[in-house]
Amino acid sequence: MAKEGAQRAEETEQMIEKEGGREVAEGGAGGSLRSGDAKEMRAVVLSAFGGLNKLRVSKKAMPEPQEGELKIRVKACGLNFIDLMVRQGNIDNPPKTPLVPGFECSGIVEALGDSVKGFEIGDRVMAFVNYNAWAEVVCTSVEFVYKIPDDMNFSEAAAFPMNFVTAYMMLFEVANLREGMSVLVHSAGGGVGQAVAQLCSTIPNVTVFGTASSFKHEAIKNSVTHLFDRNADYVQEVKRISTDGVDIVLDCLCGENTGKGLSLLKPLGTYILYGSSNMVTGETKSFFSFAKSWWQVEKVNPIKLYEENKVIAGFSLLNLLFKQNRGGLIKGVMDKLLNLYNSKKIKPVVDSLWALEEVKEAMQRIHDRGNIGKLILDVEKAPTPLMANDSTETSEAGEEEEDHEGDNENKERMPFIQ
């Protein structure tokens, strides 16, 4: 093991030297820029809120770590539904554009800021980032960085933090999942949905009800106890199996599903809202769809909650990390999750890998709900020419592209590379 560790350290050091520009390096796939090239890097830039044509890959100045920060040479980035909402400006207090999206990544520690302890140059890490993750290099507080297990690759590491921490916090910190309980999770085929299913399997006799588009059922049928089509009357289906309803509802849809979820709760049950994907109905922000979705939300009557012994809660991991300063709590959760991973009880599900230049197509795949598990932006992946030809810095986007309404589960999907 010591020999293998020494060999890994030597390989990592060589990789950093090559990628950091300390050795003369030629441009890699996709025209990657190195530190020797005037400290520039490639990054996905959102020029303004709107459609896919607001995204492109541009050259940006490479950041350097401030006190308490790590500089990470990025290998892979996670792509989440919240990134679609950010692109549209469909969030509270959106930041100013232009900006670099992305909230999680994995890579290699390239430099340490002052007062950083517990990490060394060459460490393989995954991290939360308050924007700026979709780039070749990021800097983030040491508080949000975690070492990658030896047998976890960079793609899996980029798929791990957001999905599994969100799932764990909701199940165990908010809803207090215990043996014999039942859980309803929407979008069961997505990254969070699959993390929820895996974590539920670590507790004896937990029943998982899931909704997903019908074309995903064959792939995920073994991960949940009961699986329903997302367009079916799942309320009646759940009640047919469990007349009393369920103990926990995890809702990432919002809209009319809020009232349905509350109606399914058993006494002492917990409903948790952690997303509002029903508000993203087209490529660009639609105020009509936004208003319609909120109009469908059942108004919560505290007296009714009291009478029915029900709990309603909300969860936002990003707010918990970056606005409410609970990084220490999340560190403890990550330690528990990594123990579960090392025990081979959980494993991130990666749907597909995309080059930075393919970010538009990757986002469309999430919008169409075509993914099973997590989509990953692979920084070193060469783009497919037909996909990337309008995503470069020199592209000139025209008018907003056509909105894509509806479920789209039957439409032909963009080809992708595993």
Side-chain angles (χ1 to χ4, degrees):
M1 291 296 292
K3 183 178 180 180
E4 292 178 1
Q7 182 178 359
R8 174 185 284 271
E10 182 178 353
E11 292 174 351
T12 300
E13 185 173 348
Q14 291 174 354
M15 187 181 302
I16 293 174
E17 289 178 356
K18 179 181 178 181
E19 296 187 357
R22 286 183 286 272
E23 294 179 359
V24 177
E26 296 180 357
S32 178
L33 296 165
R34 306 304 182 189
S35 294
D37 297 330
K39 297 288 186 179
E40 287 186 318
M41 65 177 185
R42 287 183 305 145
V44 175
V45 176
L46 179 67
S47 60
F49 299 119
L52 294 171
N53 61 353
K54 303 301 183 184
L55 290 165
R56 63 185 182 184
V57 175
S58 298
K59 301 174 185 177
K60 287 187 65 69
M62 186 180 298
E64 295 298 333
Q66 304 300 308
E67 183 174 359
E69 291 185 339
L70 294 173
K71 180 180 179 181
I72 301 171
R73 174 68 60 172
V74 177
K75 296 293 185 179
C77 321
L79 206 161
N80 300 282
F81 205 93
I82 184 65
D83 296 312
L84 275 69
M85 301 184 71
V86 168
R87 193 199 76 217
Q88 294 184 355
N90 202 3
I91 56 174
D92 287 335
N93 301 314
K96 294 181 179 180
T97 56
L99 61 86
V100 176
F103 298 102
E104 62 183 338
C105 66
S106 64
I108 300 173
V109 176
E110 191 168 272
L112 306 174
D114 292 341
S115 74
V116 170
K117 298 179 180 179
F119 292 90
E120 296 179 356
I121 293 175
D123 283 345
R124 300 168 69 249
V125 296
M126 51 187 159
F128 291 108
V129 187
N130 193 11
Y131 293 95
N132 298 307
W134 294 355
E136 289 185 310
V137 173
V138 301
C139 292
T140 191
S141 170
V142 66
E143 183 180 19
F144 308 133
V145 183
Y146 319 92
K147 292 182 180 179
I148 299 174
D150 288 344
D151 58 346
M152 181 185 286
N153 62 41
F154 287 117
S155 297
E156 291 175 330
F160 195 84
M162 287 277 287
N163 290 349
F164 275 96
V165 172
T166 295
Y168 187 98
M169 291 292 296
M170 292 192 299
L171 289 172
F172 297 105
E173 297 291 335
V174 180
N176 193 22
L177 177 66
R178 301 183 302 280
E179 181 176 355
M181 282 187 165
S182 55
V183 179
L184 169 65
V185 57
H186 294 295
S187 299
V192 174
Q194 287 293 287
V196 166
Q198 291 185 28
L199 288 172
C200 285
S201 71
T202 67
I203 306 298
N205 302 319
V206 171
T207 301
V208 180
F209 298 90
T211 70
S213 299
S214 58
F215 70 89
K216 299 184 182 182
H217 286 199
E218 183 63 27
I220 67 173
K221 64 182 181 181
N222 295 326
S223 65
V224 299
T225 316
H226 304 284
L227 187 58
F228 312 119
D229 185 275
R230 68 184 299 269
N231 294 314
D233 185 357
Y234 62 84
V235 173
Q236 294 306 313
E237 291 292 328
V238 171
K239 288 185 175 179
R240 180 178 60 81
I241 299 169
S242 176
T243 55
D244 292 337
V246 298
D247 296 291
I248 301 170
V249 174
L250 304 178
D251 181 10
C252 61
L253 303 177
C254 198
E256 62 181 350
N257 294 279
T258 301
K260 292 178 179 180
L262 286 171
S263 73
L264 281 172
L265 280 185
K266 294 179 181 180
L268 303 181
T270 302
Y271 162 93
I272 305 175
L273 179 68
Y274 70 100
S276 51
S277 64
N278 277 343
M279 294 183 185
V280 181
T281 57
E283 187 195 327
T284 56
K285 182 176 180 179
S286 166
F287 288 99
F288 174 78
S289 298
F290 185 89
K292 178 183 176 183
S293 185
W294 274 116
W295 181 258
Q296 291 173 328
V297 174
E298 181 173 303
K299 306 303 182 288
V300 177
N301 184 337
I303 299 300
K304 189 175 181 180
L305 291 176
Y306 152 75
E307 292 174 345
E308 296 181 354
N309 283 300
K310 295 182 178 181
V311 177
I312 185 168
F315 182 76
S316 167
L317 176 57
L318 295 177
N319 283 347
L320 201 65
L321 281 168
F322 301 122
K323 293 184 179 180
Q324 295 158 356
N325 302 315
R326 302 304 298 272
L329 172 63
I330 302 305
K331 175 65 166 60
V333 170
M334 281 293 291
D335 289 341
K336 295 175 183 177
L337 288 168
L338 290 174
N339 285 334
L340 289 172
Y341 176 86
N342 289 327
S343 302
K344 301 189 183 305
K345 293 182 178 180
I346 61 174
K347 183 179 177 65
V349 178
V350 175
D351 174 80
S352 49
L353 306 180
W354 306 76
L356 291 182
E357 290 81 2
E358 298 167 344
V359 63
K360 298 178 184 180
E361 290 77 15
M363 273 199 163
Q364 188 63 53
R365 183 170 175 81
I366 289 186
H367 181 272
D368 291 345
R369 293 175 170 86
N371 58 300
I372 298 175
K374 189 67 161 274
L375 276 76
I376 298 297
L377 295 178
D378 184 338
V379 176
E380 296 182 335
K381 181 181 179 295
T384 303
L386 290 178
M387 288 187 180
N389 61 4
D390 70 339
S391 300
T392 61
E393 184 188 21
T394 57
S395 66
E396 294 295 335
E399 297 296 319
E400 294 291 340
E401 300 174 26
E402 181 182 358
D403 284 355
H404 298 270
E405 301 286 349
D407 184 26
N408 292 326
E409 69 178 31
N410 295 318
K411 74 179 276 188
E412 183 178 354
R413 302 187 180 281
M414 183 68 65
F416 61 97
I417 300 173
Q418 291 283 5

